[in-house]
Amino acid sequence: FTLISPLLTSVWKPDVMNRPDGLIQRRNVQRDKEEKGRENENEEEKKRNSSGEDDLDDGDSKETRLTLMEEVLLLGLKDKEGYTSFWNDCISSGLRGCILIELALRGRVELEKAGLRRKSLLNRKVILRSDQPTGDVLLDEALKHIKETDPPETVQSWIEFLSGESWNPLKLRYQLRNVRERLAKNMVEKGVLTTEKQNFLVFDMTTHPLTDNVTKTKLVKKVQDSVLSRWVGDPQRMDRRVLSLIYLAHASDVLENAFAPLSDDDYEVAMKRVRDLLDLDLDVEASKPNANDLMWSVFAAFIK
């Protein structure tokens, strides 16, 4: 019995030990799944409740993601020629407005409170909310300027500073240079555009013709659908990024490019709804619950 007892113990012991291990392992997996599910729900709730969320991903994660600035520039670029119209003198300031809205949508900047005297959108200052880098060179450059500026400036002032249109020589250091070229290079890296050299008699110019027709087509369709088949009538129910795209594409004089393929009837409906948006009382819209007032302030800077 003395010789057999250790043998019986060795045979019996693993079976006893393995069974609880299996149950514990299954319980841990289930608990981990439940905890992960709760974390995901909490994260989604935070995103829904946050007015400064980074909502860059508004579609299939496998699709090419473009910033608001890139979308506006892509609407303005001639597909084959790879450059914007020489007569368009609005797109420069429009792209700077896009940068401010992009920073606001990513939760990096916000507008100061209206206060008891209910300051108008154009009189309220841009306040730094977070100096965490965005990973985008242009955005981070603008964010750095906003962080270093004291006292704060208004949205209108920042559009002028970033465009280099300020009469104050001390503010010229805030100018973002070669914005269109830098944005185009970003889209070359994303496979949307390519790079070529073209000769214009007296000088050579770098151009960026379209290579990804699918991305451009989807962008144009998104703009068209927002004021046609997916029109909701209430701007507060519209996707902020799409709403900003409409306003800033109009301010940059490139919205017409998205509507050009429409039939006459659809074009008339689309333009009427765009005019409805432009005619809104922007101060009232900015004061509504969960509104991003900096976004509305940028709109006001171009509609004033």
Side-chain angles (χ1 to χ4, degrees):
F1 181 79
T2 305
L3 294 173
I4 296 173
S5 179
L7 182 59
L8 292 174
T9 304
S10 65
V11 172
W12 175 255
K13 191 173 182 180
D15 194 33
V16 172
M17 295 301 292
N18 284 341
R19 192 177 304 156
D21 280 350
L23 293 174
I24 290 172
Q25 182 67 22
R26 284 193 291 273
R27 281 202 302 271
N28 286 344
V29 169
Q30 182 65 25
R31 185 168 63 249
D32 290 344
K33 286 182 178 178
E34 291 175 356
E35 289 177 355
K36 188 173 182 180
R38 283 195 293 270
E39 288 176 1
N40 290 340
E41 289 177 3
N42 292 337
E43 191 64 28
E44 289 299 321
E45 186 66 22
K46 286 179 183 178
K47 287 183 180 180
R48 284 194 297 269
N49 293 336
S50 172
S51 60
E53 62 192 358
D54 181 356
D55 54 356
L56 182 60
D57 183 13
D58 58 355
D60 188 345
S61 60
K62 294 181 181 179
E63 293 181 0
T64 303
R65 298 181 186 180
L66 300 180
T67 63
L68 185 59
M69 305 89 74
E70 290 167 350
E71 288 183 326
V72 169
L73 179 61
L74 187 56
L75 286 177
L77 281 176
K78 299 176 184 292
D79 293 354
K80 295 180 180 180
E81 293 84 349
Y83 52 83
T84 58
S85 171
F86 294 123
W87 309 107
N88 188 338
D89 57 355
C90 304
I91 196 169
S92 178
S93 57
L95 291 174
R96 272 65 175 188
C98 290
I99 289 173
L100 293 177
I101 291 181
E102 191 75 50
L103 287 173
L105 293 179
R106 295 184 184 217
R108 300 310 193 274
V109 295
E110 61 186 0
L111 213 58
E112 69 173 342
K113 303 303 179 186
L116 295 176
R117 290 183 293 177
R118 305 300 301 173
K119 288 183 180 178
S120 68
L121 286 171
L122 293 179
N123 288 326
R124 292 158 64 185
K125 306 297 177 64
V126 177
I127 306 296
L128 182 72
R129 183 175 176 183
S130 169
D131 62 355
Q132 182 180 356
T134 65
D136 183 286
V137 177
L138 274 174
L139 294 179
D140 289 342
E141 190 175 333
L143 187 64
K144 179 175 179 289
H145 292 326
I146 294 172
K147 178 183 178 181
E148 294 174 349
T149 302
D150 189 29
E153 299 283 356
T154 64
V155 162
Q156 181 67 58
S157 295
W158 273 116
I159 291 173
E160 293 174 358
F161 296 162
L162 297 176
S163 302
E165 297 175 355
S166 173
W167 292 101
N168 186 341
L170 298 178
K171 303 295 184 181
L172 291 178
R173 63 191 179 93
Y174 293 145
Q175 181 182 4
L176 298 181
R177 300 181 183 278
N178 304 318
V179 168
R180 272 177 270 191
E181 179 64 20
R182 292 160 75 180
L183 290 173
K185 286 182 177 178
N186 286 347
M187 287 191 280
V188 169
E189 293 177 1
K190 294 177 180 180
V192 179
L193 306 177
T194 188
T195 302
E196 293 181 357
K197 288 281 188 182
Q198 288 195 24
N199 180 270
F200 289 86
L201 297 180
V202 294
F203 64 93
D204 289 333
M205 185 175 82
T206 302
T207 61
H208 299 283
L210 181 70
T211 57
D212 185 356
N213 289 295
V214 174
T215 297
K216 177 73 175 277
T217 300
K218 286 183 177 179
L219 174 61
V220 170
K221 184 169 175 27
K222 179 170 71 172
V223 176
Q224 294 174 353
D225 288 349
S226 66
V227 291
L228 291 173
S229 61
R230 294 186 180 180
W231 174 250
V232 293
D234 180 5
Q236 297 296 334
R237 292 169 52 204
M238 293 180 68
D239 179 89
R240 290 174 178 173
R241 192 169 290 278
V242 174
L243 182 63
S244 299
L245 178 58
I246 293 173
Y247 269 96
L248 272 298
H250 178 271
S252 302
D253 198 20
V254 298
L255 186 60
E256 181 75 19
N257 296 347
F259 292 161
L262 294 175
S263 66
D264 290 345
D265 290 342
D266 283 346
Y267 178 85
E268 185 177 348
V269 172
M271 290 306 299
K272 180 184 181 303
R273 289 171 176 172
V274 169
R275 286 193 295 270
D276 290 342
L277 291 175
L278 299 176
D279 290 339
L280 290 170
D281 187 326
L282 304 187
D283 281 282
V284 171
E285 295 298 326
S287 65
K288 292 181 178 179
N290 298 323
N292 188 312
D293 45 8
L294 192 144
M295 177 186 76
W296 289 101
S297 181
V298 173
F299 299 166
F302 288 104
I303 296 176
K304 68 180 191 315

